[in-house]
Amino acid sequence: MKTKLLSFCLSTLLCSAIPLIGYTAPITTTNKTTTSQDAIAPYLSITALQKLNWQPVNTNDTQTITLNATSQQLNEGDIQGSIAAFALPANRGSLDITLSSLVKDKQVYVPNVLVFDQALRPAAFYPSSYFPYERPGVMSTDRLEGTLKLTPALGQQQIYILIYTTCTDLQKSTQMVDPAKAYAQGVGNAVPAIPDPVARHTPTGTLKLKVKSEQNAGNITIGQVFSSPAQEPIIVGPTQTTVTPPTSQKIKPVLSDTERYFSDAIKKEINNGNIDKALKLLDEAERLGSATARETFINSIKNKG
């Protein structure tokens, strides 16, 4: 596992970042029920994204969201009905995000998820097939559920998650498991021959979002690893919060003692397996003007591998 993680970090630094999706390009998305599925992310204009109210969510937080007629609405292309839009911190390590859509009264909201980087560029797409039906447990109810493992690229303050459903999803339904069957299977009794209930897909529903920060890198990087050309600021939400991509500045070279400090600290964290901490040290060192921190990081990764 450590070898795979180290290889991932090294390749991330050595290769230029390639967006994981294009708005109109087919992508391959792994889900829990099939090996892979070709999906096309919907096109959303910057104007439409700017109008959304992005609700901030902290790490290690769980929120329950009720989507109804008074919630934000988005009707563009195949997207229809109530939506949820969140802004997540991008400077606290990798994020483990569990999204659940709860079944109530045999009705359920089928989620699709688009993930954007700080500049509102699309970075990942999770179609509804990524959120399969999960049986109720001791502490949980019938639900559609999936987990997103994301690693925001360095230099960002926030990333954005848009949850929506589609006209195509609304035409379908989800087959559940009858509680009597689930109980019989759980205790090892004979399973009764009774029909399973079916949940109708609706444009409203109840979502549960659980966000955790992790030290290990997630399997999808959000944002560009290397700095991109300067862009115009993007206005996000009705409060007109300005999100400006970082621009390169001329920085004076750091002192030799500072170079030595960061070099030793990076080597120590990599030897201890703390790749996230080493990446943060690298980011800080280069922000101060270090000319050797990146080479130290790469060589340490090679030696560790």
PDB file of all heavy atoms in Angstrom, residues 65-69 71-72 82-84 109 163 203-207:
ATOM      1  N   ILE A  65     -29.451  17.061   4.964  1.00  0.00           N
ATOM      2  CA  ILE A  65     -30.010  18.100   4.102  1.00  0.00           C
ATOM      3  C   ILE A  65     -31.355  17.641   3.562  1.00  0.00           C
ATOM      4  O   ILE A  65     -31.466  16.551   2.987  1.00  0.00           O
ATOM      5  CB  ILE A  65     -29.065  18.409   2.921  1.00  0.00           C
ATOM      6  CG1 ILE A  65     -27.656  18.726   3.434  1.00  0.00           C
ATOM      7  CG2 ILE A  65     -29.607  19.540   2.070  1.00  0.00           C
ATOM      8  CD1 ILE A  65     -26.716  17.549   3.391  1.00  0.00           C
ATOM      9  N   THR A  66     -32.369  18.450   3.755  1.00  0.00           N
ATOM     10  CA  THR A  66     -33.690  18.156   3.207  1.00  0.00           C
ATOM     11  C   THR A  66     -33.873  18.948   1.916  1.00  0.00           C
ATOM     12  O   THR A  66     -33.805  20.182   1.920  1.00  0.00           O
ATOM     13  CB  THR A  66     -34.796  18.532   4.207  1.00  0.00           C
ATOM     14  OG1 THR A  66     -34.620  17.771   5.408  1.00  0.00           O
ATOM     15  CG2 THR A  66     -36.166  18.232   3.623  1.00  0.00           C
ATOM     16  N   LEU A  67     -34.071  18.234   0.830  1.00  0.00           N
ATOM     17  CA  LEU A  67     -34.310  18.871  -0.459  1.00  0.00           C
ATOM     18  C   LEU A  67     -35.809  18.888  -0.728  1.00  0.00           C
ATOM     19  O   LEU A  67     -36.458  17.838  -0.748  1.00  0.00           O
ATOM     20  CB  LEU A  67     -33.587  18.104  -1.574  1.00  0.00           C
ATOM     21  CG  LEU A  67     -32.055  18.039  -1.472  1.00  0.00           C
ATOM     22  CD1 LEU A  67     -31.484  17.213  -2.614  1.00  0.00           C
ATOM     23  CD2 LEU A  67     -31.452  19.434  -1.470  1.00  0.00           C
ATOM     24  N   ASN A  68     -36.356  20.092  -0.910  1.00  0.00           N
ATOM     25  CA  ASN A  68     -37.787  20.224  -1.176  1.00  0.00           C
ATOM     26  C   ASN A  68     -38.018  21.352  -2.173  1.00  0.00           C
ATOM     27  O   ASN A  68     -37.076  21.830  -2.814  1.00  0.00           O
ATOM     28  CB  ASN A  68     -38.557  20.462   0.129  1.00  0.00           C
ATOM     29  CG  ASN A  68     -37.966  21.611   0.938  1.00  0.00           C
ATOM     30  OD1 ASN A  68     -37.512  22.603   0.369  1.00  0.00           O
ATOM     31  ND2 ASN A  68     -37.961  21.479   2.258  1.00  0.00           N
ATOM     32  N   ALA A  69     -39.258  21.791  -2.276  1.00  0.00           N
ATOM     33  CA  ALA A  69     -39.609  22.808  -3.272  1.00  0.00           C
ATOM     34  C   ALA A  69     -38.940  24.146  -3.002  1.00  0.00           C
ATOM     35  O   ALA A  69     -38.794  24.973  -3.912  1.00  0.00           O
ATOM     36  CB  ALA A  69     -41.126  22.978  -3.321  1.00  0.00           C
ATOM     37  N   SER A  71     -35.811  24.435  -1.866  1.00  0.00           N
ATOM     38  CA  SER A  71     -34.364  24.297  -2.036  1.00  0.00           C
ATOM     39  C   SER A  71     -33.924  24.914  -3.361  1.00  0.00           C
ATOM     40  O   SER A  71     -34.753  25.264  -4.216  1.00  0.00           O
ATOM     41  CB  SER A  71     -33.969  22.817  -2.002  1.00  0.00           C
ATOM     42  OG  SER A  71     -34.377  22.201  -0.802  1.00  0.00           O
ATOM     43  N   GLN A  72     -32.618  25.053  -3.525  1.00  0.00           N
ATOM     44  CA  GLN A  72     -32.100  25.536  -4.801  1.00  0.00           C
ATOM     45  C   GLN A  72     -32.538  24.591  -5.919  1.00  0.00           C
ATOM     46  O   GLN A  72     -32.536  23.372  -5.743  1.00  0.00           O
ATOM     47  CB  GLN A  72     -30.573  25.605  -4.772  1.00  0.00           C
ATOM     48  CG  GLN A  72     -30.002  26.646  -3.839  1.00  0.00           C
ATOM     49  CD  GLN A  72     -28.509  26.817  -4.046  1.00  0.00           C
ATOM     50  OE1 GLN A  72     -28.067  27.588  -4.902  1.00  0.00           O
ATOM     51  NE2 GLN A  72     -27.722  26.104  -3.262  1.00  0.00           N
ATOM     52  N   SER A  82     -34.457  19.721  -7.314  1.00  0.00           N
ATOM     53  CA  SER A  82     -33.691  20.333  -6.233  1.00  0.00           C
ATOM     54  C   SER A  82     -32.246  19.850  -6.264  1.00  0.00           C
ATOM     55  O   SER A  82     -31.960  18.706  -6.630  1.00  0.00           O
ATOM     56  CB  SER A  82     -34.325  19.984  -4.884  1.00  0.00           C
ATOM     57  OG  SER A  82     -35.663  20.424  -4.829  1.00  0.00           O
ATOM     58  N   ILE A  83     -31.345  20.737  -5.859  1.00  0.00           N
ATOM     59  CA  ILE A  83     -29.922  20.391  -5.829  1.00  0.00           C
ATOM     60  C   ILE A  83     -29.317  20.826  -4.497  1.00  0.00           C
ATOM     61  O   ILE A  83     -29.900  21.616  -3.754  1.00  0.00           O
ATOM     62  CB  ILE A  83     -29.156  21.032  -7.009  1.00  0.00           C
ATOM     63  CG1 ILE A  83     -29.298  22.573  -6.988  1.00  0.00           C
ATOM     64  CG2 ILE A  83     -29.657  20.498  -8.328  1.00  0.00           C
ATOM     65  CD1 ILE A  83     -28.120  23.295  -6.461  1.00  0.00           C
ATOM     66  N   ALA A  84     -28.136  20.295  -4.203  1.00  0.00           N
ATOM     67  CA  ALA A  84     -27.365  20.717  -3.032  1.00  0.00           C
ATOM     68  C   ALA A  84     -25.973  21.091  -3.511  1.00  0.00           C
ATOM     69  O   ALA A  84     -25.373  20.374  -4.323  1.00  0.00           O
ATOM     70  CB  ALA A  84     -27.298  19.602  -1.991  1.00  0.00           C
ATOM     71  N   TYR A 109     -34.386  10.171  -3.512  1.00  0.00           N
ATOM     72  CA  TYR A 109     -33.703  11.103  -4.418  1.00  0.00           C
ATOM     73  C   TYR A 109     -32.426  10.421  -4.902  1.00  0.00           C
ATOM     74  O   TYR A 109     -31.605   9.981  -4.092  1.00  0.00           O
ATOM     75  CB  TYR A 109     -33.383  12.385  -3.658  1.00  0.00           C
ATOM     76  CG  TYR A 109     -32.656  13.462  -4.426  1.00  0.00           C
ATOM     77  CD1 TYR A 109     -33.352  14.499  -5.048  1.00  0.00           C
ATOM     78  CD2 TYR A 109     -31.264  13.479  -4.497  1.00  0.00           C
ATOM     79  CE1 TYR A 109     -32.693  15.508  -5.723  1.00  0.00           C
ATOM     80  CE2 TYR A 109     -30.593  14.483  -5.176  1.00  0.00           C
ATOM     81  CZ  TYR A 109     -31.308  15.494  -5.786  1.00  0.00           C
ATOM     82  OH  TYR A 109     -30.642  16.494  -6.451  1.00  0.00           O
ATOM     83  N   ILE A 163     -24.580  18.319  -6.036  1.00  0.00           N
ATOM     84  CA  ILE A 163     -25.381  17.093  -6.006  1.00  0.00           C
ATOM     85  C   ILE A 163     -26.705  17.380  -6.702  1.00  0.00           C
ATOM     86  O   ILE A 163     -27.398  18.343  -6.359  1.00  0.00           O
ATOM     87  CB  ILE A 163     -25.631  16.630  -4.561  1.00  0.00           C
ATOM     88  CG1 ILE A 163     -24.298  16.446  -3.819  1.00  0.00           C
ATOM     89  CG2 ILE A 163     -26.433  15.336  -4.539  1.00  0.00           C
ATOM     90  CD1 ILE A 163     -24.455  16.212  -2.329  1.00  0.00           C
ATOM     91  N   PRO A 203     -37.768  14.169  -7.322  1.00  0.00           N
ATOM     92  CA  PRO A 203     -36.865  15.323  -7.428  1.00  0.00           C
ATOM     93  C   PRO A 203     -36.552  15.970  -6.086  1.00  0.00           C
ATOM     94  O   PRO A 203     -35.845  16.975  -6.028  1.00  0.00           O
ATOM     95  CB  PRO A 203     -37.641  16.289  -8.331  1.00  0.00           C
ATOM     96  CG  PRO A 203     -39.073  15.958  -8.073  1.00  0.00           C
ATOM     97  CD  PRO A 203     -39.124  14.477  -7.823  1.00  0.00           C
ATOM     98  N   THR A 204     -37.082  15.423  -5.002  1.00  0.00           N
ATOM     99  CA  THR A 204     -36.794  15.908  -3.650  1.00  0.00           C
ATOM    100  C   THR A 204     -36.418  14.717  -2.780  1.00  0.00           C
ATOM    101  O   THR A 204     -36.622  13.564  -3.158  1.00  0.00           O
ATOM    102  CB  THR A 204     -38.012  16.625  -3.044  1.00  0.00           C
ATOM    103  OG1 THR A 204     -39.121  15.704  -3.012  1.00  0.00           O
ATOM    104  CG2 THR A 204     -38.399  17.846  -3.868  1.00  0.00           C
ATOM    105  N   GLY A 205     -35.877  14.998  -1.593  1.00  0.00           N
ATOM    106  CA  GLY A 205     -35.501  13.899  -0.710  1.00  0.00           C
ATOM    107  C   GLY A 205     -34.638  14.375   0.441  1.00  0.00           C
ATOM    108  O   GLY A 205     -34.524  15.575   0.709  1.00  0.00           O
ATOM    109  N   THR A 206     -34.010  13.416   1.114  1.00  0.00           N
ATOM    110  CA  THR A 206     -33.171  13.716   2.272  1.00  0.00           C
ATOM    111  C   THR A 206     -31.779  13.138   2.052  1.00  0.00           C
ATOM    112  O   THR A 206     -31.627  11.943   1.782  1.00  0.00           O
ATOM    113  CB  THR A 206     -33.769  13.120   3.561  1.00  0.00           C
ATOM    114  OG1 THR A 206     -35.082  13.641   3.753  1.00  0.00           O
ATOM    115  CG2 THR A 206     -32.912  13.468   4.768  1.00  0.00           C
ATOM    116  N   LEU A 207     -30.769  14.003   2.169  1.00  0.00           N
ATOM    117  CA  LEU A 207     -29.381  13.597   1.994  1.00  0.00           C
ATOM    118  C   LEU A 207     -28.641  13.660   3.324  1.00  0.00           C
ATOM    119  O   LEU A 207     -28.964  14.470   4.192  1.00  0.00           O
ATOM    120  CB  LEU A 207     -28.666  14.513   0.993  1.00  0.00           C
ATOM    121  CG  LEU A 207     -29.252  14.623  -0.411  1.00  0.00           C
ATOM    122  CD1 LEU A 207     -28.452  15.636  -1.221  1.00  0.00           C
ATOM    123  CD2 LEU A 207     -29.270  13.273  -1.103  1.00  0.00           C
TER     124      LEU A 207
END
